[in-house]
Amino acid sequence: MSYDVAAVRACFPALRAGAAHFDGPGGSQVPESVAAAVAATLTSPIANRGRTTQAERTADDVVLAARQAVADLVAGDPGGVVFGRSTTQLTYDLSRVLSAGWGPGDEVVVTRLDHDANVRPWVQAARARGATVRWAEFDPATGELAPEVVGALLCDRTRLVAVTGASNLIGTRPDVAAISALAHDAGALAYVDGVHLTAHAAVDVRALGADLYACSPYKFLGPHLGCVVADPGLLATLHPDKLLPSTDAVPERFELGTLPYELLAGTTAAVDFLAGLGGPEGDRRARLVAGMAAIEEHEDRLRERIEDGVRALPGVTLWSRAARRTPTLLLTVDGRDAADAYRFLAERGVNAPAGSFYALEASRHLGLGDTGGLRVGLAPYNDDGDVDRLLAGLGEWLSI
Ligand SMILES: Cc1ncc(COP(=O)(O)O)c(C=O)c1O
């Protein structure tokens, strides 16, 4: 199926403002259908969840539909989809409850590649319990995180391995299935940060071996919230602090207070939008797999154009090098400040921010300190015109 980027772009009101958005890894633009679903939910008669009044049923149906949509997106179980304010918040909440039984001698593995949202909650939980933290290093020359490196850190006291599905800084997609299998062999859980990956590839949480999989709809064309997908059987064994009158059912016991119904409706609309890119054939999961494959092909073509263009520019280093990676490029320029390029491009309507993007350990491990570099990230709505503007802008900046 050919990818009609002009038709895709026409669905995004924000693009009419004229900027070329390479800031998708920070948060994507939103299609009209997502905004309409949010607005319709806010303005429809709605109450707290229940099955007695129509208003209660509306709220309940919105939640159930969103759980099903996220489950379809990542091939998970709708009964194990937990919603929260953000992935950071959910990972903190889950780190507290998952670490409740840890003590001295227990171990947790984190990686140097991960966003801090999948590092610090585990480091701090381990510290609170007297458990040991093991660090899995990626190779700064290749950007690869080898499963053997993680495997070498495991022992029969490893309780959990926290690993990213894809780096939001340099795009590396580690072999999560292999890492999860090693974690399971050691008797540990695999907690996978899928925030960056979910926007760029068809995800199957079972194939990845993820016991818990976190993602954030605002990275895949949806509204600002987070979710974690897990086996409901695993969630049933966990007992977070909660209010006495609130239900102890799974997954609700992890969702403190009232859910943002309008954002959940927007999440369903975002998943439907992605499925719509996969054509009319099959159920939503099948259309999602096809839609994500179409996005991947489109984004990879543009990524290659950017890489070729950037390599022709003097003094530019490309840090995104792993064999399997998302279309997220980190660049630095000898003797020049990436933040300067960010400002220069912004004045020309090209949005490509500079920084380390909370992937602090990764940035330091690459030798880029806390400053990082210029991040150029692709999204389903980017086109060749955007790439032309980016390359022209970078060329101009380098010539001054
Ligand atoms: C890879 C990755 N993990 C986690 C997060 C944190 O997500 P949230 O903003 O939903 O807490 C981000 C946000 O940029 C991210 O890119």
Side-chain angles (χ1 to χ4, degrees):
M1 208 183 87
S2 73
Y3 188 82
D4 186 350
V5 70
V8 170
R9 289 174 66 82
C11 300
F12 288 80
L15 299 183
R16 289 176 214 142
H21 284 275
F22 293 99
D23 47 8
S28 51
Q29 305 306 308
V30 166
E32 181 75 57
S33 58
V34 169
V38 173
T41 306
L42 279 170
T43 52
S44 65
I46 194 159
N48 281 340
R49 290 179 72 185
R51 300 303 307 174
T52 306
T53 67
Q54 181 55 50
E56 289 170 356
R57 285 193 292 275
T58 298
D60 199 38
D61 290 346
V62 161
V63 175
L64 298 176
R67 294 206 207 285
Q68 186 62 59
V70 171
D72 285 350
L73 181 66
V74 301
D77 184 327
V81 175
V82 181
F83 287 108
R85 189 169 61 77
S86 63
T87 285
T88 302
Q89 176 249 307
L90 285 169
T91 304
Y92 260 116
D93 287 355
L94 284 159
S95 70
R96 289 192 193 102
V97 64
L98 282 161
S99 65
W102 299 356
D106 287 326
E107 301 194 355
V108 59
V109 176
V110 295
T111 91
R112 213 60 88 175
L113 190 62
D114 271 80
H115 185 286
D116 220 48
N118 202 29
V119 173
R120 221 53 57 188
W122 307 112
V123 170
Q124 291 163 359
R127 190 196 301 141
R129 302 281 167 192
T132 301
V133 178
R134 304 270 175 217
W135 288 90
E137 312 285 352
F138 68 97
D139 180 347
T142 62
E144 303 281 3
L145 173 69
E148 310 82 78
V149 169
V150 179
L153 301 173
L154 301 171
C155 69
D156 61 359
R157 295 296 299 271
T158 309
R159 295 303 203 92
L160 184 136
V161 175
V163 65
T164 191
S167 160
N168 65 310
L169 188 68
I170 54 173
T172 303
R173 289 176 58 182
D175 187 347
V176 172
I179 292 170
S180 299
L182 291 167
H184 295 156
D185 286 349
L189 292 172
Y191 190 101
V192 179
D193 175 352
V195 173
H196 186 60
L197 177 65
T198 313
H200 298 290
V203 168
D204 181 329
V205 287
R206 289 188 189 94
L208 290 177
D211 297 295
L212 300 112
Y213 183 89
C215 59
S216 297
Y218 75 97
K219 308 285 190 181
F220 57 80
L221 317 181
H224 291 85
L225 73 163
C227 39
V228 166
V229 183
D231 176 353
L234 169 65
L235 294 178
T237 65
L238 304 173
H239 298 280
D241 286 337
K242 58 174 276 301
L243 303 183
L244 217 48
S246 70
T247 174
D248 199 35
V250 167
E252 283 83 358
R253 74 168 70 149
F254 298 91
E255 297 172 327
L256 306 179
T258 309
L259 286 170
Y261 303 125
E262 62 279 7
L263 304 185
L264 297 188
T267 298
T268 303
V271 171
D272 283 333
F273 184 87
L274 293 170
L277 300 178
E281 302 298 325
D283 61 13
R284 183 165 57 190
R285 172 67 189 166
R287 287 182 285 118
L288 278 164
V289 171
M292 294 311 297
I295 288 172
E296 216 176 336
E297 193 181 327
H298 171 71
E299 292 181 345
D300 273 346
R301 188 183 66 76
L302 294 182
R303 170 177 64 77
E304 281 166 22
R305 268 205 65 204
I306 297 171
E307 285 172 352
D308 290 347
V310 160
R311 280 198 198 97
L313 297 172
V316 179
T317 302
L318 258 175
W319 297 90
S320 305
R321 299 168 182 159
R324 233 165 48 116
R325 59 188 193 273
T326 61
T328 300
L329 303 172
L330 186 75
L331 358 155
T332 55
V333 180
D334 298 345
R336 302 286 299 269
D337 183 357
D340 213 38
Y342 169 28
R343 286 186 291 269
F344 184 89
L345 291 170
E347 280 161 18
R348 283 148 189 83
V350 176
N351 298 357
S356 57
F357 307 100
Y358 281 47
L360 196 62
E361 299 288 346
S363 181
R364 289 176 181 171
H365 195 57
L366 288 169
L368 300 176
D370 297 1
T371 321
L374 189 75
R375 184 175 68 177
V376 176
L378 290 161
Y381 42 76
N382 286 119
D383 67 1
D384 284 286
D386 289 342
V387 174
D388 293 340
R389 289 169 68 187
L390 172 77
L391 293 175
L394 276 175
E396 210 185 320
W397 176 66
L398 281 165
S399 69
I400 56 174

